Amino acid sequence: MQDIIKNGKDFRIIPEKFESSTVCSITNTADNSINFNLPIATNEELADYNKGDEVEIFGSNNEGLIYFVTNITEKDGKNITVKMPETYKNIQRREYSRVDFKGELSFEDYKDAVLQTDDISAGGLKFISSISLEEHLEYNISISLSNNLTIRCTIQPIRIQQIDYNGKTAYSISGKFKTIESIDRIALVQYSFRSLTEAENLK
């Protein structure tokens, strides 16, 4: 277990307050603990990381994504120690969950093209556009998941369907993410996980 986590990279940590999620890096591992540094966390975000709190952690390795839940055992400024988890989950591409998405999506070259967002996963998203796109091209986009989390990547349309939208011609477009940082892919996975959890809690 220690080697699996030690060889991971691009870690993100999620406290109970999702908006305080941030990147973290391993500074040391031991049989029973892992030391992380939270380099870009603000003082406001750090206030949501306290001894005894449960946190979720995502990272990437050669097999895909790894995910585990653990507890903070020590905190010193931007450095925290968590308990070495007993188990972890390996997340493959086929397991990417698609969830409803009402955040903001914009295209670098087509500022007002997006009429509505439908759903999103770590692999891609579906939206309604006022213009048709080309299936063989990649487009630069910006995705706002929350007030402090914006992802910039490229998307390639894989399915385009002409539809009626409020009496006007529009296009329902499904696309897959192409050029995307692994840390941003992890952010999308954690967003989907949290959205699914919140939906289950409402039932």
Coordinates of all heavy atoms in Angstrom, one line a residue, residues 26-84:
I26 N 3.2 14.7 -1.8 CA 3.8 13.8 -0.7 C 5.2 14.3 -0.3 O 6.0 14.5 -1.2 CB 3.8 12.4 -1.1 CG1 2.4 11.8 -1.3 CG2 4.6 11.5 -0.1 CD1 2.4 10.4 -1.8
T27 N 5.4 14.5 1.0 CA 6.7 14.8 1.4 C 7.4 13.7 2.1 O 8.6 13.6 2.2 CB 6.7 16.0 2.4 OG1 5.8 15.7 3.5 CG2 6.2 17.3 1.7
N28 N 6.6 12.7 2.6 CA 7.2 11.6 3.3 C 6.1 10.5 3.5 O 4.9 10.8 3.6 CB 7.8 11.9 4.6 CG 8.6 10.8 5.2 OD1 9.4 10.2 4.6 ND2 8.3 10.5 6.5
T29 N 6.5 9.2 3.5 CA 5.6 8.2 3.8 C 6.2 7.2 4.8 O 7.4 7.1 4.8 CB 5.2 7.3 2.5 OG1 6.3 6.7 2.0 CG2 4.5 8.2 1.5
A30 N 5.4 6.7 5.7 CA 5.8 5.7 6.6 C 4.8 4.6 6.7 O 3.8 4.6 5.9 CB 5.9 6.3 8.0
D31 N 5.0 3.5 7.5 CA 4.1 2.4 7.5 C 2.7 2.8 7.8 O 1.7 2.3 7.3 CB 4.6 1.4 8.5 CG 5.8 0.6 8.0 OD1 6.1 0.7 6.8 OD2 6.5 0.0 8.9
N32 N 2.5 3.8 8.8 CA 1.2 4.1 9.3 C 0.8 5.6 8.9 O -0.3 6.0 9.4 CB 1.2 4.0 10.8 CG 1.5 2.5 11.2 OD1 0.9 1.6 10.6 ND2 2.3 2.4 12.2
S33 N 1.6 6.3 8.2 CA 1.2 7.7 7.9 C 1.8 8.2 6.6 O 2.7 7.6 6.0 CB 1.7 8.6 9.0 OG 3.1 8.6 9.1
I34 N 1.2 9.3 6.1 CA 1.6 10.0 4.9 C 1.7 11.5 5.2 O 0.7 12.0 5.8 CB 0.7 9.8 3.7 CG1 0.3 8.3 3.5 CG2 1.3 10.3 2.4 CD1 -0.9 8.1 2.6
N35 N 2.8 12.1 4.9 CA 2.9 13.6 5.1 C 2.6 14.3 3.7 O 3.3 13.9 2.7 CB 4.3 13.9 5.6 CG 4.5 13.4 7.0 OD1 3.6 13.2 7.8 ND2 5.8 13.1 7.3
F36 N 1.8 15.2 3.8 CA 1.4 16.0 2.6 C 1.7 17.5 2.8 O 1.6 18.0 3.9 CB 0.0 15.9 2.2 CG -0.4 14.6 1.5 CD1 -1.1 13.6 2.3 CD2 -0.2 14.4 0.2 CE1 -1.4 12.4 1.7 CE2 -0.5 13.2 -0.4 CZ -1.2 12.2 0.3
N37 N 2.1 18.2 1.7 CA 2.2 19.6 1.7 C 1.1 20.2 0.8 O 0.9 19.7 -0.3 CB 3.6 20.1 1.3 CG 3.7 21.6 1.2 OD1 3.6 22.2 0.1 ND2 3.8 22.3 2.3
L38 N 0.4 21.2 1.2 CA -0.6 21.9 0.5 C -0.1 23.2 0.0 O -0.3 24.3 0.6 CB -1.9 22.1 1.3 CG -2.8 20.8 1.6 CD1 -2.0 19.7 2.2 CD2 -4.0 21.2 2.4
P39 N 0.7 23.3 -1.1 CA 1.4 24.5 -1.5 C 0.6 25.7 -1.8 O 1.1 26.8 -1.5 CB 2.3 24.0 -2.6 CG 1.5 22.9 -3.3 CD 0.9 22.2 -2.1
I40 N -0.5 25.6 -2.4 CA -1.3 26.8 -2.9 C -2.5 27.0 -2.0 O -3.3 27.9 -2.4 CB -1.6 26.6 -4.4 CG1 -2.6 25.5 -4.6 CG2 -0.4 26.5 -5.2 CD1 -3.2 25.4 -6.0
A41 N -2.7 26.3 -1.0 CA -3.9 26.5 -0.1 C -3.8 27.8 0.5 O -2.8 28.3 1.1 CB -4.0 25.4 0.9
T42 N -5.0 28.6 0.5 CA -5.1 29.8 1.2 C -5.3 29.6 2.7 O -5.7 28.5 3.1 CB -6.2 30.7 0.7 OG1 -7.4 30.0 0.9 CG2 -6.0 30.9 -0.8
N43 N -5.2 30.6 3.5 CA -5.4 30.5 5.0 C -6.9 30.1 5.2 O -7.2 29.3 6.1 CB -5.1 31.8 5.7 CG -3.6 32.0 5.8 OD1 -2.8 31.1 5.8 ND2 -3.2 33.3 5.9
E44 N -7.8 30.6 4.4 CA -9.2 30.3 4.5 C -9.5 28.8 4.2 O -10.2 28.2 4.9 CB -10.0 31.2 3.5 CG -11.5 31.0 3.7 CD -12.3 31.9 2.7 OE1 -11.7 32.7 2.0 OE2 -13.6 31.8 2.7
E45 N -8.8 28.3 3.2 CA -8.9 26.9 2.8 C -8.3 26.0 3.9 O -8.9 25.0 4.3 CB -8.3 26.6 1.5 CG -9.1 27.2 0.3 CD -8.3 27.2 -1.0 OE1 -7.1 27.1 -1.0 OE2 -8.9 27.4 -2.1
L46 N -7.1 26.4 4.4 CA -6.5 25.6 5.4 C -7.3 25.5 6.7 O -7.2 24.5 7.4 CB -5.1 26.2 5.8 CG -4.0 26.1 4.7 CD1 -2.8 27.0 5.1 CD2 -3.6 24.7 4.6
A47 N -8.2 26.4 6.9 CA -9.0 26.4 8.1 C -10.0 25.2 8.1 O -10.5 24.8 9.1 CB -9.8 27.7 8.3
D48 N -10.2 24.6 6.9 CA -11.1 23.5 6.7 C -10.3 22.1 6.8 O -10.9 21.1 6.5 CB -11.8 23.5 5.4 CG -12.8 24.7 5.3 OD1 -13.5 24.9 6.3 OD2 -12.8 25.4 4.3
Y49 N -9.0 22.2 7.2 CA -8.3 21.0 7.4 C -7.8 20.9 8.8 O -6.9 21.7 9.2 CB -7.0 20.9 6.5 CG -7.4 20.9 5.0 CD1 -7.6 22.0 4.3 CD2 -7.4 19.6 4.3 CE1 -7.9 21.9 2.9 CE2 -7.7 19.5 3.0 CZ -8.0 20.7 2.3 OH -8.3 20.6 0.9
N50 N -8.4 20.0 9.6 CA -8.1 20.0 11.0 C -7.8 18.6 11.5 O -8.3 17.6 10.9 CB -9.2 20.7 11.9 CG -9.4 22.1 11.5 OD1 -8.5 22.9 11.8 ND2 -10.5 22.5 10.9
K51 N -7.1 18.5 12.6 CA -6.8 17.1 13.2 C -8.1 16.4 13.5 O -9.0 16.9 14.1 CB -6.0 17.3 14.4 CG -5.5 16.0 15.1 CD -4.6 16.3 16.3 CE -4.1 15.0 16.9 NZ -3.2 15.2 18.0
G52 N -8.1 15.2 13.0 CA -9.3 14.3 13.2 C -10.3 14.4 12.1 O -11.2 13.5 12.0
D53 N -10.2 15.4 11.2 CA -11.1 15.5 10.0 C -10.9 14.3 9.0 O -9.7 13.9 8.8 CB -10.9 16.8 9.3 CG -11.5 18.0 10.1 OD1 -12.1 17.7 11.2 OD2 -11.3 19.1 9.7
E54 N -12.0 13.9 8.4 CA -11.9 12.9 7.3 C -11.6 13.7 6.0 O -12.3 14.7 5.7 CB -13.1 12.1 7.2 CG -13.1 11.0 6.1 CD -14.4 10.2 6.1 OE1 -15.3 10.6 5.4 OE2 -14.4 9.1 6.8
V55 N -10.8 13.2 5.2 CA -10.5 13.8 3.8 C -10.5 12.7 2.8 O -10.2 11.5 3.1 CB -9.1 14.5 3.8 CG1 -9.2 15.8 4.7 CG2 -8.0 13.6 4.3
E56 N -10.8 13.1 1.6 CA -10.7 12.2 0.4 C -9.5 12.6 -0.4 O -9.2 13.9 -0.5 CB -11.9 12.3 -0.5 CG -13.2 12.0 0.2 CD -14.4 12.4 -0.6 OE1 -14.7 11.6 -1.6 OE2 -15.0 13.4 -0.3
I57 N -8.7 11.7 -0.9 CA -7.5 12.0 -1.7 C -7.5 11.2 -3.0 O -7.8 10.0 -3.0 CB -6.3 11.7 -0.9 CG1 -6.2 12.5 0.4 CG2 -5.0 11.9 -1.7 CD1 -5.0 12.3 1.3
F58 N -7.3 12.0 -4.1 CA -7.1 11.4 -5.4 C -5.7 11.6 -5.9 O -5.1 12.6 -5.6 CB -8.1 12.1 -6.4 CG -9.5 11.8 -6.3 CD1 -10.3 12.5 -5.4 CD2 -10.1 10.8 -7.0 CE1 -11.7 12.2 -5.2 CE2 -11.5 10.5 -6.9 CZ -12.2 11.2 -6.0
G59 N -5.2 10.6 -6.7 CA -3.9 10.8 -7.3 C -3.9 9.9 -8.6 O -4.9 9.2 -8.9
S60 N -2.8 10.0 -9.3 CA -2.7 9.2 -10.5 C -1.5 8.3 -10.4 O -0.5 8.6 -9.8 CB -2.6 10.1 -11.8 OG -1.5 10.9 -11.7
N61 N -1.6 7.1 -11.1 CA -0.4 6.2 -11.2 C -0.4 5.6 -12.6 O -1.2 6.0 -13.4 CB -0.4 5.2 -10.1 CG -1.6 4.3 -10.1 OD1 -2.4 4.2 -11.0 ND2 -1.8 3.6 -9.0
N62 N 0.4 4.6 -12.8 CA 0.5 4.0 -14.1 C -0.7 3.2 -14.5 O -1.0 3.0 -15.7 CB 1.7 3.0 -14.2 CG 3.0 3.8 -14.1 OD1 3.1 4.9 -14.4 ND2 4.0 3.1 -13.5
E63 N -1.6 2.9 -13.5 CA -2.8 2.1 -13.8 C -4.0 2.9 -14.0 O -5.0 2.5 -14.5 CB -3.0 1.1 -12.6 CG -1.9 0.1 -12.4 CD -2.2 -0.8 -11.2 OE1 -3.3 -0.6 -10.6 OE2 -1.4 -1.6 -10.9
G64 N -3.9 4.2 -13.7 CA -5.1 5.1 -13.8 C -5.1 6.1 -12.7 O -4.2 6.8 -12.4
L65 N -6.2 6.1 -12.0 CA -6.4 7.0 -10.8 C -6.6 6.2 -9.6 O -7.1 5.1 -9.6 CB -7.6 7.9 -11.0 CG -7.6 8.8 -12.2 CD1 -8.9 9.6 -12.2 CD2 -6.5 9.8 -12.2
I66 N -6.0 6.7 -8.5 CA -6.2 6.0 -7.2 C -7.0 7.0 -6.3 O -6.9 8.2 -6.4 CB -4.9 5.7 -6.5 CG1 -3.9 6.9 -6.4 CG2 -4.2 4.5 -7.3 CD1 -2.7 6.6 -5.7
Y67 N -7.8 6.4 -5.4 CA -8.7 7.2 -4.5 C -8.7 6.5 -3.2 O -8.9 5.3 -3.1 CB -10.1 7.2 -5.1 CG -11.2 7.7 -4.2 CD1 -11.3 9.0 -3.9 CD2 -12.0 6.8 -3.6 CE1 -12.3 9.5 -3.0 CE2 -13.0 7.2 -2.7 CZ -13.2 8.5 -2.5 OH -14.2 8.9 -1.6
F68 N -8.6 7.3 -2.1 CA -8.8 6.7 -0.8 C -9.3 7.8 0.2 O -9.2 9.0 -0.1 CB -7.5 6.1 -0.3 CG -6.3 7.0 -0.2 CD1 -6.0 7.7 1.0 CD2 -5.5 7.2 -1.3 CE1 -4.9 8.6 1.0 CE2 -4.4 8.0 -1.2 CZ -4.1 8.7 -0.1
V69 N -9.9 7.3 1.3 CA -10.4 8.1 2.4 C -9.6 7.9 3.6 O -9.2 6.7 3.9 CB -11.9 7.8 2.6 CG1 -12.4 8.7 3.8 CG2 -12.7 8.0 1.4
T70 N -9.2 8.9 4.3 CA -8.4 8.8 5.5 C -8.7 10.0 6.5 O -9.6 10.8 6.2 CB -6.9 8.8 5.1 OG1 -6.1 8.5 6.3 CG2 -6.4 10.0 4.5
N71 N -7.9 10.0 7.5 CA -8.1 11.1 8.5 C -6.8 11.8 8.8 O -5.7 11.3 8.8 CB -8.6 10.5 9.9 CG -10.0 9.9 9.7 OD1 -10.2 8.8 9.4 ND2 -11.0 10.8 10.0
I72 N -7.0 13.1 9.1 CA -5.8 13.9 9.4 C -5.4 13.7 10.9 O -6.2 13.7 11.8 CB -6.1 15.4 9.3 CG1 -6.5 15.8 7.8 CG2 -5.0 16.3 9.7 CD1 -7.0 17.2 7.6
T73 N -4.1 13.4 11.1 CA -3.6 13.1 12.4 C -2.8 14.2 13.0 O -2.7 14.4 14.2 CB -2.8 11.8 12.4 OG1 -1.7 11.9 11.5 CG2 -3.6 10.6 12.0
E74 N -2.2 15.1 12.1 CA -1.4 16.2 12.6 C -1.5 17.3 11.5 O -1.7 17.1 10.3 CB 0.1 15.9 12.8 CG 0.3 14.8 13.8 CD 0.0 15.3 15.2 OE1 0.0 16.5 15.5 OE2 -0.2 14.4 16.1
K75 N -1.4 18.6 12.0 CA -1.4 19.7 11.1 C -0.4 20.7 11.5 O -0.4 21.1 12.7 CB -2.8 20.3 11.0 CG -2.9 21.6 10.1 CD -4.2 22.2 10.1 CE -4.3 23.5 9.4 NZ -5.6 24.2 9.5
D76 N 0.4 21.3 10.6 CA 1.4 22.3 10.9 C 1.5 23.2 9.7 O 2.2 23.0 8.8 CB 2.8 21.7 11.2 CG 3.8 22.7 11.6 OD1 3.5 23.9 11.8 OD2 5.0 22.4 11.5
G77 N 0.7 24.3 9.8 CA 0.7 25.2 8.7 C 0.1 24.6 7.4 O -1.0 24.0 7.4
K78 N 0.9 24.5 6.3 CA 0.5 23.9 5.1 C 0.9 22.5 5.0 O 0.7 21.8 4.0 CB 1.1 24.7 3.9 CG 0.5 26.1 3.7 CD 0.9 26.7 2.4 CE 0.2 28.0 2.2 NZ 0.5 28.6 0.9
N79 N 1.4 21.9 6.1 CA 1.8 20.5 6.1 C 0.8 19.7 7.0 O 0.5 20.1 8.1 CB 3.2 20.4 6.7 CG 4.3 21.1 5.8 OD1 4.4 20.8 4.7 ND2 5.0 22.0 6.4
I80 N 0.4 18.6 6.5 CA -0.5 17.8 7.3 C 0.0 16.3 7.2 O 0.6 15.9 6.2 CB -2.0 17.8 6.8 CG1 -2.1 17.3 5.3 CG2 -2.6 19.2 6.8 CD1 -3.5 17.1 4.9
T81 N -0.4 15.6 8.2 CA -0.1 14.1 8.3 C -1.5 13.4 8.3 O -2.3 13.8 9.0 CB 0.7 13.8 9.5 OG1 1.9 14.5 9.5 CG2 1.0 12.3 9.5
V82 N -1.6 12.4 7.5 CA -2.8 11.6 7.5 C -2.5 10.1 7.7 O -1.3 9.7 7.6 CB -3.6 11.7 6.1 CG1 -3.9 13.1 5.8 CG2 -2.7 11.1 5.0
K83 N -3.5 9.4 8.2 CA -3.3 8.0 8.5 C -3.2 7.2 7.2 O -3.9 7.5 6.2 CB -4.5 7.5 9.3 CG -4.4 6.0 9.7 CD -5.6 5.6 10.5 CE -5.6 4.1 10.8 NZ -6.8 3.7 11.6
M84 N -2.2 6.3 7.1 CA -2.1 5.4 5.9 C -3.4 4.6 5.8 O -3.7 3.9 6.7 CB -0.9 4.5 6.1 CG -0.7 3.6 4.9 SD -0.2 4.4 3.3 CE 1.5 4.9 3.7

